[in-house]
């Protein structure tokens, strides 16, 4: 038997099939096993997790280009036309129209093409987009941009036909006037898209991993838990409603990565009364949660009574019956109350966090290959 004090491994049982007790083995061998096992686990978990089914098509919110200011775009286009046309050409004025209209056409095309097709978005992203922007208005706005893009092509093709009746200089002046007025016409659309882009870019890209969602009333310590268990650094404040978007961190346990989502605080009220910020938490629970940590602050320091927080817990439990839920009574460092169920934790000191995570992960953990041989 190989013995080394460097690493104690549970994996030896895989290496030496039939050997049932833990053994010491050398580092290099372990690394290979860890990598392989990790890969198998990830594959298996990906098949089980909700995100696999809903996140196949990734929206490209982060790739949406910024909308240009019409005046700046016009200046750029006319400047390029001035600089790049062939001065010796007999059709130089028409060439200028080509260069300017072409640049604008491509800029507008970029915006339209890089916007995700809302009708093909996975439900989770569609729902989140709908809480953040006016999707119908955005579709109409994109149609206007596309109209302006097509108009640039029309201006180019008409400039040739007009040569029969007008001088090239007249045609160019007329075309420049038309280009400017089209861009002024779509100015409100470009402004709208600028705002929309800003909002859509705040929607996080969900990874294809088992996912833990942290919920609870405002100010109970959800973000503090996320920052304790992952390297994510969400905003933490003493007042409620600090978190306004979904915040993501990655937790690694037993060589498996879990995605942890911190959500905006929820009040105990029916869905139709929830505001758009609260709805983001509901969409995360509905579409991507494989396991839930529900946080309760029994000290009341959060500003909300415990019975209301318990009611919210019951509602979430009822609504998302199929998703395992673990209850965490936070801020243990501030009180001595005994809790009948759930976990007493302190996100501030770290007390109780490990046990809470073990229980949260247990229902979504896969069977580990080495455990099979240890039985
Ligand atoms: N003493 C103590 N304070 C805590 C603990 N956890 C969080 N806090 C404090 O509680 C306040 C709220 O914490 P957050 O993590 O921002 O709470 P949240 O639930 O994310 O709040 P919202 O985003 O507004 O819903 C902050 O002042 C934290 O420092 C804890 O375990 N002990
Ligand atoms: Mg928060």
């Amino acid at each position: 038997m190989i013995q080394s004090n460097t690493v104690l491994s549970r994996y030896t049982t895989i290496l030496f099939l039939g050997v049932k007790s833990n053994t010491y083995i050398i580092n290099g061998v372990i690394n290979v096993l860890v990598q392989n096992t990790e890969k198998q686990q990830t594959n298996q978990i990906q098949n089980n997790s909700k995100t696999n089914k809903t996140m196949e098509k990734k929206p490209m919110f982060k790739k949406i280009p910024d909308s240009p200011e019409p005046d700046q775009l016009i200046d750029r286009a006319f400047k390029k036309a001035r600089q790049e046309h062939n001065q010796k050409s007999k059709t130089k004025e028409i060439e200028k129209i080509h260069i300017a209209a072409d640049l604008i056409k491509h800029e507008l095309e970029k915006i339209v093409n890089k916007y995700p097709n809302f009708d093909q978005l996975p439900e989770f992203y569609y729902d989140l987009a709908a809480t953040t922007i006016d999707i119908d208005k955005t579709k109409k706005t994109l149609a206007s941009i596309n109209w302006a893009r097509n108009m640039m092509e029309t201006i180019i093709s008409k400039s040739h036909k007009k040569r029969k009746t007008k001088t090239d200089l007249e045609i160019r002046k007329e075309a420049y006037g038309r280009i400017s007025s089209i861009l002024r016409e779509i100015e409100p659309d470009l402004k709208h898209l600028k705002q929309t882009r800003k909002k859509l870019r705040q929607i996080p890209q969900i990874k294809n991993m088992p996912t833990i969602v942290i919920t609870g009333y405002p100010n109970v310590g959800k973000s503090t838990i996320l920052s304790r268990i992952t390297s994510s650094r969400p905003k933490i404040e003493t007042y409620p409603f600090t978190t306004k978007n979904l915040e993501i961190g990655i937790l690694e346990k037993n060589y498996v990565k879990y995605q942890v989502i911190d959500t905006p605080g929820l009040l105990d009220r029916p869905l139709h009364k929830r505001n758009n910020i609260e709805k983001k938490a509901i969409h995360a629970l509905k579409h991507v949660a494989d396991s839930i940590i529900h946080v309760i602050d029994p000290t009341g320091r959060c500003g909300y009574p415990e019975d209301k927080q318990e009611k919210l817990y019951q509602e979430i439990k009822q609504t998302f019956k199929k998703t395992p839920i673990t209850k965490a009574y936070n801020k243990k460092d501030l009180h001595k109350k005994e809790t009948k169920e759930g976990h007493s934790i302190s996100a501030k000191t770290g007390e109780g966090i490990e046990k809470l995570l073990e229980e949260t992960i247990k229902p979504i953990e896969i069977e580990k290959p080495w455990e099979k041989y240890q039985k």
Side-chain angles (χ1 to χ4, degrees), residues 55 59-62 64 116 118 121-122 124-133 135 196-206 245-248 280 283:
M55 304 303 135
M60 301 299 183
F61 294 139
K62 296 270 188 287
I64 299 172
F118 290 104
L121 280 182
F124 170 66
Y125 288 115
Y126 184 92
D127 284 352
L128 275 185
T131 62
T132 318
I133 61 156
I135 292 183
T196 304
R197 170 185 184 261
K198 213 167 141 190
K199 290 177 186 162
L200 288 176
R201 282 164 63 91
Q202 287 171 357
I203 294 179
Q205 185 82 55
I206 297 294
N245 289 302
L246 302 180
E247 303 283 343
I248 297 186
K280 292 178 190 174
H283 296 322

Side-chain angles (χ1 to χ4, degrees), residues 222-223 235 242-243 262-263:
K222 300 179 296 300
S223 303
K235 197 171 163 194
T242 303
T243 305
D262 173 27
T263 60

Side-chain angles (χ1 to χ4, degrees), residues 217-225 235-243 262-265 330-334 345-349:
Y217 252 72
N219 219 16
V220 294
K222 300 179 296 300
S223 303
T224 312
I225 294 176
K235 197 171 163 194
I236 294 167
E237 293 290 349
T238 49
Y239 50 80
F241 303 109
T242 303
T243 305
D262 173 27
T263 60
N330 193 24
K331 309 193 183 174
K332 198 182 175 194
D333 53 297
L334 295 178
I345 62 156
S346 168
K348 197 169 182 178
T349 65

Side-chain angles (χ1 to χ4, degrees), residues 23-117:
T23 324
Y24 297 90
I25 60 169
I26 48 170
N27 255 330
V29 182
I30 284 179
N31 285 340
V32 174
L33 284 169
V34 169
Q35 279 163 14
N36 288 341
T37 315
E38 192 176 357
K39 210 168 165 187
Q40 284 165 9
Q41 286 178 5
T42 310
N43 288 342
Q44 208 163 334
I45 281 185
Q46 282 174 353
N47 291 337
N48 294 337
S49 94
K50 261 190 198 172
T51 51
N52 192 37
K53 289 161 220 144
T54 53
M55 304 303 135
E56 282 150 11
K57 290 175 202 139
K58 288 183 182 174
M60 301 299 183
F61 294 139
K62 296 270 188 287
K63 290 190 177 170
I64 299 172
D66 198 5
S67 304
E69 297 292 331
D71 282 344
Q72 284 173 7
L73 187 54
I74 292 167
D75 284 351
R76 252 179 71 205
F78 293 171
K79 189 175 171 194
K80 189 172 183 222
R82 249 190 339 266
Q83 288 173 343
E84 292 184 12
H85 77 276
N86 181 356
Q87 293 193 1
K88 288 179 187 152
S89 166
K90 280 181 187 163
T91 56
K92 63 183 181 189
E93 296 302 328
I94 305 295
E95 240 177 67
K96 283 182 192 169
I97 302 172
H98 265 262
I99 295 168
D102 227 37
L103 181 143
I104 293 168
K105 187 183 98 176
H106 281 114
E107 286 299 310
L108 300 179
E109 221 166 59
K110 246 194 304 192
I111 298 175
V112 175
N113 291 346
K114 293 278 178 180
Y115 252 83
N117 182 341

